[in-house]
Amino acid sequence: MSELITVLDENENVKVYENTSDLISDYIEFRFGYYKKRYNKLLEDSNKEALYNILIKSCFDNDISGKLKTFKNKKELTDFISLLNEEIGAEKSNIDKIASFPIYRWVNEYKDEVENKINIIIEQIESYNNILSSDKNIWNIYKEELNSLLKEYKE
């Protein structure tokens, strides 16, 4: 005697399995796709965050704190930041966000913080690119996470 396993797949189609190992195999392949999506999303978010922080650094490098007194209104400030952003390519919403910084954000302490943050983000981007460079790397992460879960549930 044998039992058939009937399930809905990821597209909500009925799929019949003759054994559990085929079902598990399909699930693992399906789940693997989400690992790729996760690291692509992390990479995309890190790239955006890097550009935002690079734009802030560019504002420091172009003496925005010294020029703040010369701007007649917020539009001139945003125009200045937009001009710097032409080479960087950060999201447009970042321009208004930076233009709304309180004055105390334009001190050297914050500049150092931004530079450190850029270095950390660049390391993350390199790590994500390395992970995404090979399916084997993603499979290893998948296995590590499964082993971690197994260990957690055994305890």
Side-chain angles (χ1 to χ4, degrees):
M1 280 181 44
S2 70
E3 290 186 33
L4 296 177
I5 303 168
T6 306
V7 298
L8 291 176
D9 67 10
E10 66 273 10
N11 300 316
E12 297 186 19
N13 297 318
V14 174
K15 190 155 186 181
V16 179
Y17 293 94
E18 293 184 21
N19 58 59
T20 54
S21 42
D22 289 344
L23 171 65
I24 292 169
S25 240
D26 279 359
Y27 176 76
I28 289 170
E29 286 295 325
F30 166 76
R31 186 78 179 112
F32 179 74
Y34 280 94
Y35 275 74
K36 283 184 170 183
K37 286 181 183 179
R38 176 200 304 172
Y39 285 98
N40 278 313
K41 175 72 170 128
L42 288 169
L43 178 61
E44 177 185 333
D45 291 348
S46 294
N47 280 324
K48 287 178 184 177
E49 187 177 357
L51 292 175
Y52 169 66
N53 282 283
I54 290 168
L55 180 56
I56 294 170
K57 183 181 178 312
S58 180
C59 289
F60 276 109
D61 293 345
N62 286 279
D63 192 31
I64 194 168
S65 60
K67 294 178 181 174
L68 283 172
K69 296 179 218 170
T70 65
F71 299 127
K72 295 178 185 170
N73 52 42
K74 189 173 180 179
K75 184 181 179 333
E76 285 187 10
L77 174 60
T78 56
D79 288 347
F80 174 76
I81 298 169
S82 294
L83 186 64
L84 297 176
N85 192 41
E86 286 179 5
E87 287 184 29
I88 296 167
E91 293 181 342
K92 301 275 187 224
S93 61
N94 291 331
I95 295 167
D96 285 330
K97 190 174 176 181
I98 294 169
S100 297
F101 277 2
I103 193 79
Y104 67 84
R105 294 286 289 274
W106 297 112
V107 296
N108 285 334
E109 179 182 24
Y110 185 62
K111 179 182 180 185
D112 295 341
E113 188 180 314
V114 168
E115 288 173 348
N116 289 333
K117 191 180 265 187
I118 290 169
N119 291 331
I120 291 168
I121 295 167
I122 288 171
E123 287 176 16
Q124 287 176 330
I125 289 170
E126 289 172 1
S127 172
Y128 297 145
N129 279 323
N130 182 45
I131 289 167
L132 289 166
S133 70
S134 166
D135 282 354
K136 182 180 178 185
N137 296 335
I138 298 172
W139 279 115
N140 288 336
I141 292 169
Y142 192 179
K143 289 176 198 174
E144 287 173 18
E145 289 182 6
L146 287 175
N147 285 328
S148 175
L149 282 172
L150 181 62
K151 182 179 176 183
E152 184 179 321
Y153 282 106
K154 280 185 176 180
E155 295 174 354

